[in-house]
């Protein structure tokens, strides 16, 4: 099977009120901001792209909100994937065909309100978009 790559948006939600009651290990283990994701169209022909150099652009309600590159993800998004695969291997686990891996953000997190719409375009990979309800 060919690995696919795509633009995506991580949906974040802040459910804690008092962070002083939680230690760092708990926050990391809980993935406390991860609430879901929105995936763009899968691309099977991404291997020729320089993912570290690919630019990402985010708009909120049609206005430029953030930009970045793949280099913001541990220097290269595949570094994050390699770290995950190696970490799993240390525990005799593996990634499986069809698993979805969010490697990290190329753009700054924005807090949205109901009715806001956001899209993220990643050069060479396309667009992911969502409207908050």
């Amino acid at each position: 099977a060919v690995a696919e790559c795509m633009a995506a948006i991580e949906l974040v939600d802040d459910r804690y009120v008092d962070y002083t009651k939680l230690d760092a290990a708990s926050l990391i283990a809980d993935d406390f901001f991860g609430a879901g994701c929105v995936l763009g169209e899968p691309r099977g022909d991404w291997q020729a792209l320089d993912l570290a150099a690919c630019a990402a652009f985010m708009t909120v309600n049609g206005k430029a909100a953030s930009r970045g590159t793949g280099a913001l993800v541990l220097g290269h998004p595949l570094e994050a994937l390699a770290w995950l695969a190696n970490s799993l291997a240390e525990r005799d686990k593996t990634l499986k065909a069809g698993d979805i891996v969010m490697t990290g953000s190329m753009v700054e997190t924005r807090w949205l309100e109901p009715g806001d719409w956001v899209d993220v375009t990643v050069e060479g990979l396309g667009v992911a978009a969502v409207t908050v309800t």
Side-chain angles (χ1 to χ4, degrees):
V2 174
E4 294 176 323
C5 193
M6 65 204 68
I9 299 170
E10 181 180 8
L11 304 173
V12 296
D13 188 18
D14 186 1
R15 64 179 172 266
Y16 292 114
V17 175
D18 186 357
Y19 291 95
T20 63
K21 294 181 180 180
L22 300 167
D23 63 6
S26 295
L27 291 172
I28 293 167
D30 185 38
D31 188 19
F32 66 103
F33 282 127
C37 62
V38 175
L39 305 176
E41 289 294 320
R43 296 284 309 263
D45 60 346
W46 59 270
Q47 290 86 351
L49 295 174
D50 179 355
L51 294 177
C54 285
F57 306 91
M58 178 171 58
T59 66
V60 176
N61 299 324
K63 296 179 183 173
S66 183
R67 64 179 297 153
T69 66
L72 294 173
V73 183
L74 296 179
H76 192 290
L78 293 182
E79 289 293 329
L81 182 62
W83 177 88
L84 175 61
N86 290 332
S87 178
L88 288 171
E90 289 172 2
R91 296 185 309 272
D92 295 321
K93 297 181 180 188
T94 62
L95 291 167
K96 296 172 186 62
D99 282 352
I100 296 171
V101 176
M102 301 288 286
T103 58
S105 187
M106 298 168 65
V107 296
E108 185 179 327
T109 299
R110 297 287 190 216
W111 297 102
L112 304 173
E113 300 294 329
D116 286 346
W117 53 277
V118 61
D119 64 66
V120 173
T121 301
V122 180
E123 288 180 332
L125 295 180
V127 179
V130 66
T131 299
V132 179
T133 58

